Amino acid sequence: MTVDQPAGERAGAPPAPNPNDATVASFGYPQELKRTLRFFSLFAISFSIVSISTGIFLNYGFAINQFGGASIWTWPIAAVGQIVMALLIAELSTKIPLAGYAYQWGARLVGSGYGWYTGFFGLLYMSITGGAIILLGATPLLFEAMGLTPPSGVVLTVAIVILLFTIVVNIVGVQLAARVNNTAVVAEIIGTVLLAVTVIVAFGLYTGTGGGSVANLTNGTGTAGSGIGHFVLAGLLGIYTMVGFELSADLTEEAVDSQTAVPRGVLVGVIGSAVLGMLALICFTVAMPDLGAAQASSAPIVTIAEFYLPTAVVKVFIVVVAFSMIALVVANQAAQARLLYSMGRDDMLPFSRHFRLVNPRTQTPLRALVIGGIVSVAFMIYGFLQTDSFTTLVGATSIAPYLVYLLIVGSYMRRRPTLAAAPGAFNLGWWGVPLMVVGLVWIVTALLILTIPPDFHGAVKVVAGAAVLAVLWHVLVLRGRIARGEAGVARFTDSSTGR
């Protein structure tokens, strides 16, 4: 992230007031968080949260077992759907530029009760994601690079330590978290894209027998069965990966120029991820020497790469990929804490006073970071204890964000005509309505894919169980607080001011 301060501030002069602070004040909040994030920082958050490395390394094996090499053509379908979502979110981020994006958008477009559910599912997504990525991705890859196969209990212990490390990085301050995420952009490109390009070049130079083939791109032979249903299931590859790009909007109160930098960061993050991810998938699939061996491997990308490259070289790439996954979780935990902070300052959570506290030295919501980290560890342990950790955790981290998208787009479609465009900010104009229709169709389709197949029923139980807790809190406690004016936000009443 770019965290440079103006010359006057470096010299000890009082910082000039940021015009975006007045926007925050117009919504009824003081500016408490430190504005240091510029465009590249926000792009880095979106790009590293999407993390094509994580999505491809975690889900490529699942996809090719469903529909062979041809499964990668589900990626551009998901990419188009998510780019539509990114366009809508980029516009909305300029109209309600507040931390706690999911909660604030839902609450101010419809009402505080509605905002509770959008915020809750956003928290659920972020709370599960951190543990899932570390447990299923980064930790196994690190052991793979070291050539070790430790007991599952050791994997869990190391995963917990790594997750706690990501919390410490955020506690130190947003600047350190920013630098980690800036580096993660390079790690993503080196760890996945450069590896893929290196593999395809080695494939082109390969003169032995049993190499890859362009025919792999149309080979729909899966081990799980055959037919269009398995192609649809393979869509998890893109559906799971291309989410989270909106989390840069969650740090909008820490952006120096939120009205232009946030929407640009969201859009460039998801479009860049879509293009580079497709490039990597094509390279790996064409170079795949043996579909059966790749399908049987617990790490098919590693299996493909080691066919052409020295093991030592592949291990270096694996370490870089693992780092990019850890950086993803650093950004994820930062966004989770900001959402907790935003909901806490409106007294929407149990023990809200703890979540809304900002550390005066680091200007970060320290208690929200710690409590959010504990919740993430709990979900990690829960997933570890399940028979199928992969579909339970990965499936749940896919369902939750699409529920957030559904709630946000549904409410925005109803309220958009009454909201004035922010001067000079990103605006879809008349394209907004057709994009919303396309977006809703895409979201519903993705949710059907993620909930109907038996493979994901464990994930559905996690989300449904959490939703029951959300309803109980709302009905038994929160609804009364909101009715008495003790919690929540005011609805929009003036489209010219956004209040």
Side-chain angles (χ1 to χ4, degrees):
M1 293 184 183
T2 305
V3 293
D4 295 335
Q5 300 298 317
E9 188 172 336
R10 290 197 300 270
N18 189 300
N20 296 132
D21 294 353
T23 302
V24 174
S26 74
F27 284 96
Y29 303 118
Q31 177 68 38
E32 296 182 289
L33 302 176
K34 189 175 183 179
R35 290 192 182 273
T36 58
L37 309 183
R38 301 178 188 274
F39 162 69
F40 187 80
S41 305
L42 296 160
F43 154 71
I45 291 169
S46 289
F47 189 79
S48 64
I49 282 285
V50 171
S51 185
I52 54 177
S53 295
T54 302
I56 291 174
F57 271 76
L58 274 183
N59 294 287
Y60 185 72
F62 179 84
I64 61 176
N65 272 284
Q66 293 295 328
F67 205 73
S71 61
I72 68 169
W73 299 112
T74 60
W75 181 275
I77 297 172
V80 171
Q82 290 304 83
I83 289 171
V84 169
M85 286 304 307
L87 289 166
L88 297 173
I89 285 170
E91 181 182 67
L92 184 53
S93 71
T94 68
K95 297 183 178 182
I96 312 177
L98 298 172
Y101 75 109
Y103 158 67
Q104 289 288 351
W105 294 351
R108 294 181 182 276
L109 291 174
V110 178
S112 297
Y114 190 89
W116 158 247
Y117 290 103
T118 58
F120 176 82
F121 285 119
L123 283 175
L124 182 64
Y125 158 60
M126 288 180 259
S127 297
I128 299 174
T129 294
I133 298 305
I134 298 298
L135 177 65
L136 302 175
T139 305
L141 282 177
L142 288 174
F143 281 120
E144 175 89 23
M146 292 185 288
L148 301 174
T149 308
S152 57
V154 173
V155 174
L156 175 63
T157 302
V158 172
I160 292 173
V161 171
I162 294 174
L163 181 57
L164 294 176
F165 167 75
T166 67
I167 303 301
V168 172
V169 170
N170 277 289
I171 287 174
V172 171
V174 69
Q175 291 94 335
L176 178 59
R179 291 188 178 98
V180 170
N181 276 289
N182 287 349
T183 308
V185 173
V186 179
E188 286 280 350
I189 294 172
I190 292 176
T192 300
V193 180
L194 181 59
L195 174 60
V197 171
T198 302
V199 166
I200 199 67
V201 169
F203 157 73
L205 299 174
Y206 182 70
T207 56
T209 58
S213 170
V214 175
N216 288 338
L217 296 174
T218 56
N219 187 338
T221 305
T223 61
S226 59
I228 190 64
H230 291 281
F231 179 78
V232 170
L233 273 177
L236 180 69
L237 179 63
I239 290 173
Y240 165 77
T241 303
M242 282 179 281
V243 295
F245 53 83
E246 71 278 6
L247 297 192
S248 59
D250 202 15
L251 278 73
T252 190
E253 290 182 37
E254 291 156 275
V256 175
D257 182 11
S258 65
Q259 296 296 72
T260 57
V262 170
R264 285 177 60 211
V266 167
L267 291 170
V268 177
V270 71
I271 293 171
S273 297
V275 173
L276 292 177
M278 192 67 219
L279 171 64
L281 286 170
I282 290 174
C283 290
F284 285 129
T285 303
V286 169
M288 182 165 48
D290 185 333
L291 175 59
Q295 289 171 327
S297 172
S298 60
I301 297 298
V302 175
T303 299
I304 294 168
E306 287 184 338
F307 182 85
Y308 299 99
L309 305 175
T311 300
V313 173
V314 176
K315 286 183 176 180
V316 171
F317 279 110
I318 291 173
V319 171
V320 174
V321 170
F323 169 78
S324 72
M325 292 183 180
I326 294 170
L328 179 163
V329 178
V330 169
N332 177 80
Q333 298 305 116
Q336 178 198 40
R338 272 58 178 187
L339 184 49
L340 285 167
Y341 159 78
S342 182
M343 297 176 75
R345 68 183 175 184
D346 283 348
D347 291 310
M348 299 291 288
L349 297 168
F351 311 107
S352 285
R353 66 184 183 278
H354 296 289
F355 294 109
R356 62 173 172 255
L357 291 178
V358 174
N359 183 277
R361 184 178 64 83
T362 63
Q363 291 183 267
T364 55
L366 191 149
R367 292 189 184 181
L369 282 164
V370 173
I371 297 171
I374 293 171
V375 173
S376 294
V377 169
F379 273 113
M380 176 193 288
I381 295 172
Y382 172 82
F384 173 80
L385 295 174
Q386 302 309 300
T387 304
D388 188 348
S389 299
F390 177 84
T391 54
T392 298
L393 291 176
V394 172
T397 58
S398 300
I399 295 170
Y402 284 93
L403 288 174
V404 175
Y405 297 150
L406 179 65
L407 293 172
I408 288 174
V409 175
S411 59
Y412 191 36
M413 177 176 283
R414 186 174 69 90
R415 296 290 297 174
R416 183 176 183 267
T418 68
L419 305 181
F426 180 79
N427 182 41
L428 292 172
W430 69 269
W431 281 100
V433 173
L435 286 174
M436 285 180 179
V437 173
V438 172
L440 281 176
V441 172
W442 161 245
I443 295 167
V444 171
T445 301
L447 283 171
L448 291 175
I449 293 171
L450 292 168
T451 55
I452 292 178
D455 304 62
F456 301 130
H457 286 180
V460 172
K461 291 178 182 177
V462 173
V463 176
V468 169
L469 295 178
V471 171
L472 289 174
W473 170 250
H474 178 232
V475 172
L476 299 178
V477 180
L478 190 57
R479 186 168 58 178
R481 284 187 184 180
I482 295 171
R484 294 189 299 269
E486 298 171 356
V489 303
R491 291 179 61 180
F492 279 116
T493 57
D494 183 351
S495 63
S496 66
T497 63
R499 291 289 302 204

